[in-house]
Amino acid sequence: AQSVTQPDIHITVSEGASLELRCNYSYGATPYLFWYVQSPGQGLQLLLKYFSGDTLVQGIKGFEAEFKRSQSSFNLRKPSVHWSDAAEYFCAVGANTYGNQFYFGTGTSLTVIP
Amino acid sequence: DAGVTQSPTHLIKTRGQQVTLRCSPKSGHDTVSWYQQALGQGPQFIFQYYEEEERQRGNFPDRFSGHQFPNYSSELNVNALLLGDSALYLCASSFRTGITNEKLFFGSGTQLSVL
């Protein structure tokens, strides 16, 4: 069965510091992997996605993620965090190529301190 | 160009009642998916509608039903509400149904509280 684990419920970083949010997935086939961000009162916004090819993917707002098949991981990184990055971050795995059925992790809440 | 719009934004119901949530997809989109996001959890897939038919369904009871209209808008209906149905309900729209579709947009959601 498909599942996504985000081990860190909450992370606090200083503005300007680097960030890494962890994501581990369980899926029997080649996964389609996504990172979404959700600000309070807002819907989900796609940060980046991995379908195939280069395992290091670039997204919006300076985020990147690296797919590591051997570790079943898809960690999200940003070299320098801005106060506006404070939000909830969700990792998701796509179940198949028919239908937008995503399996989401429980999310990581990011707090940025000045 | 309006994105995905959902109504109402907030709703309070009592146990046993029925509720209808509405979603208008982004212009040019023809596929609507519904997700339930309980407090402190990630969104869970309820079902997806394309060409006015339910195409895929997650692990939700039959109390959850939906509809898609010819203009691609959609409704989510929940009957016999339980306290556990309290959640943020998200609608997502896209053009066609493939998961590799890049253009998947989420609405801001309807916050449902069941008392």
Side-chain angles (χ1 to χ4, degrees), chain B residues 2-57:
Chain B
V4 179
T5 58
Q6 293 186 242
S7 63
T9 54
H10 295 83
L11 202 54
I12 299 175
K13 292 287 188 178
T14 58
R15 282 179 297 175
Q17 284 189 313
Q18 179 264 344
V19 67
T20 297
L21 311 182
R22 296 176 176 82
C23 173
S24 293
K26 183 176 172 62
S27 178
H29 287 183
D30 59 5
T31 302
V32 173
S33 301
W34 287 92
Y35 286 80
Q36 180 195 65
Q37 185 178 12
L39 188 64
Q41 301 295 316
Q44 291 192 34
F45 178 78
I46 303 175
F47 43 52
Q48 180 188 73
Y49 277 84
Y50 171 64
E51 292 186 331
E52 302 181 48
E53 290 187 11
E54 183 181 298
R55 298 292 177 166
Q56 282 206 334
R57 189 179 184 91

Side-chain angles (χ1 to χ4, degrees), chain B residues 96-107:
Chain B
R96 298 296 186 260
T97 60
I99 204 163
T100 55
N101 190 316
E102 298 181 20
K103 300 185 187 304
L104 181 66
F105 289 83
F106 281 83

Side-chain angles (χ1 to χ4, degrees), chain A residues 74-111:
Chain A
F74 188 57
N75 294 347
L76 182 71
R77 300 193 295 251
K78 186 170 184 178
S80 178
V81 171
H82 188 262
W83 64 267
S84 61
D85 293 326
E88 189 85 17
Y89 290 81
F90 292 95
C91 181
V93 61
N96 51 49
T97 55
Y98 180 78
N100 291 322
Q101 185 168 352
F102 294 84
Y103 291 88
F104 286 86
T106 52
T108 296
S109 177
L110 174 65
T111 297

